[in-house]
Amino acid sequence: MRSASSDLPIRFDAVTVRSGAVIMLDCLDVQIEAGAPTVLIGPNGSGKTTFLRTAMGLIAPSEGRVTWGGAESAPPLRRAFVFQRPAMLRRSVQGNLRYALIAAQVPRARHETRIGELLALVGLDGLGRRPARRLSGGEQQRLALARALARDPAVLFLDEPTASLDPAATKAIEDIIRAIAASGIKVVMSTHDLGEAKRLAGDIVLLHRGCIVERAGVREFLTAPRTAAARAFVAGELLV
Ligand SMILES: Nc1ncnc2c1ncn2[C@@H]1O[C@H](COP(=O)(O)OP(=O)(O)O)[C@@H](O)[C@H]1O
Ligand SMILES: [Mg+2]
C-alpha cells in the first residue's frame, strides 16, 4: 500500500456549482476519505460528472470551497481522471501510453518498462503496436485506465467507466478497478448501475438533482436506506 495521499481527504464545504441559471450541484457538504472506492450513483443529469470534475479540481465551485488534504490549491499532480468517452490518440497503444508518460514527466529511460507494466495491469499485453482507435470499446476503456495510471495517481476519478460495455468487457474493467483500489489508489467513480455500485463500492453517494440524498457504507445503503429516494433507488424504481 502506498502512503496516505496528501490529496485526501477531499472535502466539499457548502459547494454549489451553477452555469447561468442551472444549478448543477446544490450546496454539497461531503468528505471523501482513503479506503475502498467511493461510488456516486444517481440518474442521468443528477450531477455525477459535475461532482467528479469538481472533486478533481477541473471545475471551480460557484459558492463554497473544495479542499484536498486541507489545502485549497493542492497541485493536481497525483490525481487522474478518465472521462466517460475517452479520446484515443491516433497512435498505437504504446504511443498513447508514451504520450501519457511524457505528460506525467516520467523519465524516458523508464518508459519501456513502465509501458510493459501498464499493459500487463490492464490485460493488453501483446496489443502494444495496435492502432488505439482499432481497439474494441472495452479495450479502449482499459487503455484509458492505463493512461491514467501512467501519472501514478493517488486518487483516480472514473466517470461511468463501464457505460455502454457488454457484461464481459464490464467484468474486465471492474476487475481492473478492484486491483487498482487494492494497490492503495483511492478510486472515486460514478455509475448509474446499482449492481456495479454493489460490486465495487466501499461507500455510496446517491445524487439526485444536484443534491446528496444519501451517503452511507455500501451494506448500510443497501439494507437500511434512510431516505425515500434511496429506498426507491435500491428497490430498482426510477428516480426522475
Ligand atoms: N456545461 C453545462 N452547462 C449547463 N448545464 C450543464 C452543463 N453540464 C451539465 N449541465 C447540467 O447539469 C446537470 C448535471 O449534469 P451532469 O453532472 O452531467 O449529470 P450526470 O453525470 O449525473 O448525468 C444536468 O441538469 C445537466 O443538464
Ligand atoms: Mg455524467
Side-chain angles (χ1 to χ4, degrees):
M1 299 285 272
R2 66 189 64 217
S3 57
S5 159
S6 60
D7 270 346
L8 294 170
I10 301 170
R11 198 182 145 110
F12 282 41
D13 284 304
V15 167
T16 292
V17 174
R18 63 164 77 87
S19 174
V22 180
I23 294 183
M24 290 148 72
L25 297 179
D26 193 359
C27 201
L28 304 190
D29 286 301
V30 68
Q31 184 156 308
I32 295 172
E33 280 155 37
T38 295
V39 178
L40 309 171
I41 56 176
N44 282 338
S46 55
K48 301 183 296 296
T49 297
T50 308
F51 183 106
L52 290 172
R53 286 172 177 261
T54 307
M56 171 78 181
L58 297 172
I59 295 178
S62 314
E63 286 157 39
R65 61 178 205 152
V66 179
T67 54
W68 294 270
E72 214 159 332
S73 60
L77 287 174
R78 302 217 54 215
R79 286 172 236 153
F81 198 109
V82 178
F83 295 96
Q84 191 172 348
R85 284 177 211 80
M88 298 293 119
L89 299 179
R90 200 181 291 280
R91 303 178 185 195
S92 67
V93 167
Q94 285 177 3
N96 271 265
L97 288 177
R98 193 165 287 114
Y99 184 88
L101 290 166
I102 292 168
Q105 298 176 0
V106 174
R108 267 170 207 280
R110 297 247 316 117
H111 285 193
E112 288 319 305
T113 313
R114 195 70 186 117
I115 287 171
E117 289 169 0
L118 289 166
L119 290 176
L121 190 70
V122 301
L124 290 178
D125 341 47
L127 292 183
R129 292 178 195 281
R130 172 94 51 97
R133 293 186 179 186
R134 285 211 214 118
L135 297 173
S136 70
E139 288 165 346
Q140 290 196 4
Q141 191 59 259
R142 283 191 263 158
L143 176 55
L145 285 171
R147 280 194 317 205
L149 292 170
R151 300 173 69 109
D152 190 23
V155 187
L156 179 61
F157 297 94
L158 307 173
D159 195 5
E160 305 216 23
T162 65
S164 75
L165 298 183
D166 69 16
T170 296
K171 179 170 186 318
I173 296 290
E174 289 185 1
D175 287 346
I176 295 165
I177 293 172
R178 236 176 255 113
I180 290 170
S183 77
I185 297 172
K186 174 67 190 187
V187 172
V188 185
M189 62 176 279
S190 67
T191 180
H192 58 261
D193 177 358
L194 183 63
E196 180 158 281
K198 275 187 209 176
R199 291 188 294 273
L200 294 176
D203 62 322
I204 291 184
V205 176
L206 174 61
L207 286 168
H208 189 214
R209 297 182 181 164
C211 296
I212 294 176
V213 292
E214 185 109 0
R215 161 81 195 273
V218 64
R219 187 183 304 245
E220 187 189 350
F221 183 89
L222 294 169
T223 58
R226 290 183 299 264
T227 61
R231 278 193 292 277
F233 198 83
V234 169
E237 288 163 30
L238 294 171
L239 285 187
V240 289

